[in-house]
Amino acid sequence: MASLSLNPIVDVVVQVSPLSAPRRAFDTGLIIGSSTVISTADRARLYENTDAMLQDGFKATDKEYIAAQLYFSQSPRPTKLLVGVKGTSETFLEAVTACRAKNTEWYAVSCLDATKADIVAVAAYIETATPTSVQFFSTADTDVPTATAGNVFAALKALKYSRTLGQYSTSSPYAVVSIMGYAMRANTGMANSAYTLKFKREPGVTAEALTATKVTAIAGGNGNVYINRGYYYDMFEQGVMANGQFFDEVINLDMLANNIQLNVMDKLYQFPKVPQTEAGVTQLVNACNQACDRAVLQGFLAPGVWTGQPILNLNTGDILPAGYLVQSEPINSQPQADREARKSPPIYVAIKEAGAIHSVTIGVYVSR
């Protein structure tokens, strides 16, 4: 028996929306050395442990292997590390830019045995690199604990770089790779995963025997150290970048900005269109809200008082009960030229950081 199609009566159209863009994990470190195990053509290789490096041809005496041991010795244990190579005729700056061109997944980089000039040059590049990145470096320069003018910490501080973190260490030339490993692994993005670098251990690194005067001098240059306090506590402090900003703030802001950008882009990409109406702008505002909700879950944002300048309906002194507030300008007040260019009205995201406690003053009152 002949049978005709049902489509003229019941026409079912199946549409599958495009996939969301994958979010950056912010969990991959890169170390760069000059070993010939990796060619400049390959530029960088990903390793999940140090055994894989030995199998690949690295020796236990290679600086890349020694640094990787510090990285993978952290707790919680990192899951991946990129090892890059600097060609014999290259500078570290050239090697870092080549590694960025080869791989955009790494977030933190440390150049092994880099000179002061190398560190400063890479810092300048990292400050504006895309995607956002940070540099970790170690130094044993004798002019650092004496706060001599022009030392590497002072030079970077004067330049106000917010994406370079340095550690003074005479026990290991690659000490900072250990704390870099912690920073990459602890950053899971899960609930209450926000952290501070202060107070953390550096397995495989010996605490520096420094006087209080020298520790203060290093801290004055926004440098970091691994020291012992109270006999029992070996700990990293302060966890700051060259400009004095805390590392955890830098990485969490990078994560939030990345999530906001991709959440909004997914709306524009997946929908047939986002209308240029209040309802359409609300969709974009909600996309920003979702990213902020994630930051609250992670422990980066928390309720508090807005102490910044007034923004639309948000005034100085207002409470942010959610830890953030996302607002947009009215669609009806949009200039005609912007409307014809199909621009959205500006969206404003005000956030309140949860912060972290680094010191406590306790008063003990005794009555006899």
Side-chain angles (χ1 to χ4, degrees):
M1 180 179 67
S3 178
L4 300 178
S5 171
L6 289 173
N7 288 351
I9 302 172
V10 181
D11 187 14
V12 179
V13 179
V14 178
Q15 291 184 329
V16 179
S17 62
L19 294 175
S20 298
R23 271 48 177 170
R24 287 187 72 191
F26 295 87
D27 66 350
T28 305
L30 165 70
I31 57 174
I32 300 179
S34 54
S35 172
T36 56
V37 172
I38 301 173
S39 68
T40 53
D42 290 338
R43 188 53 72 176
R45 292 181 190 171
L46 187 66
Y47 294 99
E48 296 180 355
N49 51 60
T50 52
D51 288 342
M53 292 179 66
L54 293 175
Q55 294 167 6
D56 221 14
F58 282 100
K59 298 181 177 62
T61 54
D62 288 341
K63 58 187 176 184
E64 292 88 349
Y65 181 83
I66 295 171
Q69 281 185 311
L70 295 175
Y71 185 87
F72 284 116
S73 292
Q74 264 298 347
S75 179
R77 185 178 177 276
T79 58
K80 51 188 175 181
L81 170 69
L82 271 170
V83 179
V85 62
K86 179 178 79 73
T88 54
S89 61
E90 289 181 328
T91 64
F92 270 112
L93 174 59
E94 292 170 333
V96 171
T97 55
C99 285
R100 170 55 82 217
K102 194 74 173 182
N103 186 303
T104 60
E105 290 302 309
W106 58 268
Y107 179 69
V109 60
S110 187
C111 300
L112 308 182
D113 294 333
T115 65
K116 174 186 170 182
D118 290 324
I119 293 166
V120 174
V122 171
Y125 165 74
I126 288 294
E127 200 69 13
T128 58
T130 303
T132 54
S133 310
V134 291
Q135 176 186 205
F136 286 69
F137 74 91
S138 301
T139 180
D141 292 351
T142 57
D143 58 358
V144 166
T146 58
T148 303
N151 73 76
V152 65
F153 288 154
L156 293 169
K157 179 182 178 180
L159 292 167
K160 297 180 175 61
Y161 285 150
S162 63
R163 294 188 169 276
T164 291
L165 179 150
Q167 176 180 352
Y168 175 77
S169 176
T170 59
S171 68
S172 170
Y174 318 123
V176 81
V177 177
S178 179
I179 204 66
M180 184 174 82
Y182 179 90
M184 295 299 94
R185 182 62 182 97
N187 185 38
T188 63
M190 299 174 67
N192 299 317
S193 60
Y195 60 86
T196 173
L197 290 185
K198 189 171 182 178
F199 310 121
K200 303 307 182 289
R201 296 179 62 248
E202 288 189 323
V205 179
T206 302
E208 292 293 311
L210 296 170
T211 64
T213 299
K214 290 183 178 180
V215 171
T216 300
I218 294 171
N222 293 333
N224 300 273
V225 290
Y226 187 59
I227 56 176
N228 179 277
R229 289 192 183 274
Y231 300 104
Y232 179 77
Y233 301 99
D234 288 344
M235 63 188 210
F236 184 83
E237 60 177 54
Q238 298 287 336
V240 295
M241 315 306 285
N243 70 340
Q245 187 177 6
F246 287 102
F247 169 80
D248 55 280
E249 181 181 46
V250 174
I251 190 172
N252 279 294
L253 285 174
D254 283 348
M255 290 174 61
L256 177 59
N258 180 252
N259 286 336
I260 289 175
Q261 183 182 52
L262 295 184
N263 281 5
V264 171
M265 186 61 204
D266 282 345
K267 293 288 185 184
L268 299 172
Y269 183 68
Q270 294 176 344
F271 288 14
K273 77 168 183 177
V274 175
Q276 204 170 6
T277 63
E278 286 295 348
V281 176
T282 298
Q283 293 182 39
L284 303 184
V285 168
N286 288 337
C288 297
N289 286 336
Q290 291 169 3
C292 291
D293 283 338
R294 189 70 194 174
V296 171
L297 178 67
Q298 292 165 352
F300 174 49
L301 304 183
V305 177
W306 176 251
T307 57
Q309 65 183 14
I311 304 174
L312 298 183
N313 295 321
L314 177 64
N315 295 310
T316 305
D318 286 353
I319 300 293
L320 293 180
Y324 66 89
L325 179 65
V326 183
Q327 305 176 87
S328 65
E329 294 183 8
I331 193 78
N332 291 335
S333 65
Q334 185 179 38
Q336 185 62 27
D338 286 352
R339 182 168 183 80
E340 292 173 356
R342 298 196 167 188
K343 294 181 180 179
S344 164
I347 295 175
Y348 303 85
V349 182
I351 62 173
K352 187 68 179 182
E353 296 181 6
I357 295 175
H358 280 187
S359 63
V360 185
T361 298
I362 300 173
V364 178
Y365 302 91
V366 180
S367 176
R368 288 181 178 158

